[in-house]
Amino acid sequence: MCDVGLAMNLTQILRSNNLGVLDSYMSACFVRNMEFFKSLNPTLFAELSKPPITHNLVFDSTGLNILNLQDNALVYPTSGESTMIATHLALAQSPMNNPQFLVHTNHLTLQKLDEDKIPLTASICNKIITLMQESGGSKSYHLPSDFLPSSTFFGTLGGIFLQLLLERGVYFHSLLLFEEYLDMLRIMLYFVDFALLFERVSERACYIFVKDLIHQEFIHTYFASRKITNNFLRLELFLYESPKVANAREVVHEAYRVNSRGWGSFDDEMIGVRNTLDNLDKHYPVLHLPERVDIPICVVGNGVSLDLLLPFIKANANNMLIFSCGTAIKPLKAYGIEPDFQIEIERISYLKDVLKEAPLGDTTLLCGSVVQPEALALAKEAYVFMRGGSAGAYLFGGRSVVEFSAPYVGNAGFALAALLGEEVLICGLDCGYIEGKAKHAKNSFYGEETPQIPPNAFKVQGNRESSVYSDALFSLSARSMERCIKAFTPRLVLNLGEGAYIQGTRACDVSAFSLRELGKGEKQRAIESIKAHCSTDYTQVFEAYGDVGLGEVLAYKEEFLALLGVRACSKRELFALIDRIHHFSLKMSAKNAFVGLLFEGSVGHILHNLMVSALHLPSDEIGNFYVRAVGIIREGVEKMAMSYRLLSMGR
């Protein structure tokens, strides 16, 4: 608390209505905060030292208020006395049950997983839920009054309530604060002990944005760095509406939704590992140290934009390479277009049937190593690439892993095109829902579809004139393409569709340009060049071919279980422990992508179910529940390790 040599804190001062003591408190608090920001952020300190431009604090006989310097209007209504203090006293009352605050939960509520699809992961998670129910868990969730979850505040109009919460001993698990005006942050300095605020938020979890949310990556980092604990429950407050506040809220809502996307599982990754081993045993050539070809590559997805682009693709088929992604092959072939490469990445068991129905015919397959061998066997000619983001891609330390190949097959096709070509054309990779249109192209695997915007979708910038909406996976797909462009730096990327705008691309109508006519045999030479950079000499393709990493898997298991061995007796302690384990998971995925990605999805599911189950317990005393839950997790993770041991023994 700001030390003004007084026995009274701000809560007591406001309730006593002692304006003289309040004046002393405010002066001392402002000075201490300026000293704090001078050491924390000298640039912000310099800005705060300037005279106010938009707003200023008013303190007179009627009490406290904020003056808008643009029109001389008071922010808080008055009727003989200011309502500012009363407003903040009310805001400080039970935020989780206060009608002024919004409490958000995402779709990842507490529900049992399908044990037929992901048996090892689902067994652990479902047993934790059952334990919660047997331990007296209720349908509603519970947090202690002195602990608040991930919190986002947009414009605090003085922020007095924040100090009142701090004086009650409230601790924020994470906090994102946005102030549209620098002067509003300056006014907060009179009331809020910022040094104490940073102490009462988890380490590196207090984010303050002023004027603009220009660093969207920071917002995504805010959620992703505590992916589990920031993922389910979120407290939100905005005290006024404006275009900037609306935009800031949209950015935060998008990042929150993206953070809750599907996580995968150990069970699914094991399918990919087995498929990778089987495909390498069959000696399929693997993409290795590729070089760029000097002709355009057209990446074709199955978005509804493809319908209007089919005539362009057919007319220019001889002047560019055509990468068909996933189910785009069917509408392409129905229109008489033969792709040069069919790109696939899915581990799904029915992929073989999809390719038969297309039909695949003579089209060359270029697949992620995790694709089922039965699908690859359909092709007259098939090649493999190590698809980044899947454990199988890193099994033997591949020297040419194709990153940015998730979450959709279109991302893999685009990543390959950006890696292999200088000029990339995008057709039908819509990354969103186009208003008034179906999701997929006609004559596709999905049959007839009606135009429908899902209820959880949010509006994004369109590539052309159409209104476009996105969701968590589409947003992730778009961001993956944007990072891919920055990493692989193709000379030109033209987006010909009507879907979402992709930063780094140029929106273009097919009538606005023409492709140069290729010389005789030029296209075929480009195709052969790509194939020539696929090798069956696995000792060159991989750094450690033959080592299936059993020792690394067992070491991961032991470290994970050791972290769980630190007992959590309260929900705040549990949140902190979950963050530590999640950071370990991220660290392992960066350090050793194979073992990290093998377990990362299941670790996410386990931690999420552990957290949400604990939230449903009516008491903050969760020590006994935690010990029993760890026993369930330990048994399940041992089974995972055993399943990998059995796989390695079969090699």
Side-chain angles (χ1 to χ4, degrees), residues 547-563:
D547 181 4
V548 295
L550 176 60
E552 298 164 341
V553 169
L554 297 179
Y556 181 102
K557 178 206 69 173
E558 291 300 326
E559 191 165 355
F560 171 66
L561 293 177
L563 288 170

Side-chain angles (χ1 to χ4, degrees), residues 4 56 84 111 115 288 349 397 439 462 489 499 564 594 621:
V4 295
N56 204 5
M84 183 174 178
Q111 55 186 356
E115 296 195 25
H288 177 57
S349 59
K439 183 178 179 181
T489 62
L564 278 172
F594 163 64
E621 298 293 331

Side-chain angles (χ1 to χ4, degrees), residues 275-291 341 364-371 376 381-388 392-402 416 419-420 528-543 545:
N275 288 346
T276 294
L277 292 170
D278 288 348
N279 288 329
L280 294 181
D281 285 346
K282 292 177 172 59
H283 297 287
Y284 284 108
V286 178
L287 187 66
H288 177 57
L289 303 179
E291 297 177 0
F341 291 95
T364 300
L365 273 180
L366 180 55
C367 293
S369 67
V370 300
V371 169
L376 279 165
E381 195 173 5
Y383 300 85
V384 165
F385 67 94
M386 309 311 286
R387 173 210 163 194
Y394 307 95
L395 178 58
F396 299 126
R399 291 187 168 91
S400 297
V401 176
V402 182
L416 285 164
L419 179 66
L420 297 171
E528 294 304 322
S529 175
I530 292 174
K531 293 178 180 179
H533 284 94
C534 297
S535 174
T536 55
D537 185 354
Y538 294 161
T539 60
Q540 295 299 314
V541 173
F542 302 103
E543 295 178 358
Y545 184 63

Side-chain angles (χ1 to χ4, degrees), residues 339-498:
D340 298 298
F341 291 95
Q342 171 65 16
I343 314 299
E344 296 289 355
I345 62 168
E346 300 295 344
R347 295 174 292 234
I348 53 176
S349 59
Y350 56 84
L351 177 59
K352 177 179 68 172
D353 298 326
V354 174
L355 292 176
K356 280 183 177 179
E357 184 180 330
L360 179 65
D362 294 335
T363 305
T364 300
L365 273 180
L366 180 55
C367 293
S369 67
V370 300
V371 169
Q372 61 169 174
E374 292 82 359
L376 279 165
L378 290 177
K380 293 184 177 179
E381 195 173 5
Y383 300 85
V384 165
F385 67 94
M386 309 311 286
R387 173 210 163 194
S390 60
Y394 307 95
L395 178 58
F396 299 126
R399 291 187 168 91
S400 297
V401 176
V402 182
E403 302 292 354
F404 315 107
S405 294
Y408 291 119
V409 63
N411 288 98
F414 180 78
L416 285 164
L419 179 66
L420 297 171
E422 290 285 4
E423 299 176 354
V424 181
L425 309 178
I426 301 174
C427 295
L429 296 183
D430 292 336
C431 290
Y433 305 91
I434 301 173
E435 190 171 51
K437 296 190 177 184
K439 183 178 179 181
H440 297 101
K442 296 176 182 177
N443 298 315
S444 75
F445 180 77
Y446 300 95
E448 292 296 322
E449 296 177 315
T450 57
Q452 187 175 7
I453 305 296
N456 64 334
F458 46 89
K459 195 167 186 178
V460 294
Q461 181 181 350
N463 190 55
R464 304 276 292 280
E465 295 80 14
S466 299
S467 294
V468 181
Y469 294 81
S470 185
D471 59 19
L473 277 178
F474 274 139
S475 178
L476 186 69
S477 176
R479 293 180 62 235
S480 178
M481 290 173 68
E482 291 168 355
R483 292 196 297 270
C484 178
I485 292 170
K486 290 180 180 178
F488 294 163
T489 62
R491 184 169 60 242
L492 178 67
V493 182
L494 298 182
N495 190 351
L496 309 182
E498 297 180 79

Side-chain angles (χ1 to χ4, degrees), residues 216-235:
Q216 293 193 19
E217 285 298 321
F218 289 166
I219 307 301
H220 286 277
T221 299
Y222 168 81
F223 285 103
S225 62
R226 286 167 171 78
K227 188 177 182 66
I228 311 302
T229 53
N230 278 354
N231 189 55
F232 174 66
L233 194 59
R234 184 171 69 88
L235 184 68

Side-chain angles (χ1 to χ4, degrees), residues 5 24 45 58 131 150 188 209-210 254 260 294 301 320 416 472-473 489 526 583 641:
S24 299
F45 168 79
V58 175
L131 174 63
S150 174
M188 289 183 69
F209 292 86
V210 187
E254 177 183 345
S260 66
D294 194 24
M320 61 187 184
L416 285 164
L473 277 178
T489 62
H583 289 159

